[in-house]
Amino acid sequence: MTDVNKGPGKTITIVVNGTPHDVPKKETLTYAEVVTYFDPTYPQHPDTVYSVTYTRGVKPKEGTLAPDGSVKAKDGMDFHVIPTSES
């Protein structure tokens, strides 16, 4: 029997600042990936810092995603991304 939720082309839906995004199904989501859904220019400007929090996760169900971090991916996760002020 084949698992229809695994393999190429399978997606989950995450929500970033209220906007749903269909993303490839995989084990983890990185800070850079989540921020790029919020700001598609982030890869060209990686020095910009964002505060990233999430809810509806696996374990822990909610938390903060650090710039070098990742979090276990789950369908329906809700991310909130806020640009931080540069001083």
Side-chain angles (χ1 to χ4, degrees):
M1 182 185 266
T2 302
D3 185 345
V4 296
N5 291 322
K6 292 188 178 184
K10 302 302 177 187
T11 62
I12 62 171
T13 301
I14 64 169
V15 178
V16 180
N17 288 27
T19 303
H21 297 273
D22 290 329
V23 302
K25 182 177 176 120
K26 58 185 188 166
E27 281 295 311
T28 61
L29 290 166
T30 66
Y31 169 91
E33 289 170 323
V34 173
V35 170
T36 301
Y37 287 115
F38 170 74
D39 176 6
T41 67
Y42 175 71
Q44 290 81 38
H45 308 282
D47 294 337
T48 304
V49 179
Y50 294 87
S51 171
V52 180
T53 57
Y54 65 89
T55 58
R56 300 184 186 161
V58 180
K59 285 186 182 177
K61 290 188 180 244
E62 58 185 50
T64 302
L65 189 53
D68 61 350
S70 63
V71 65
K72 188 167 178 137
K74 179 182 173 193
D75 189 51
M77 284 185 83
D78 191 12
F79 292 90
H80 192 70
V81 180
I82 302 171
T84 60
S85 60
E86 297 177 349
S87 40

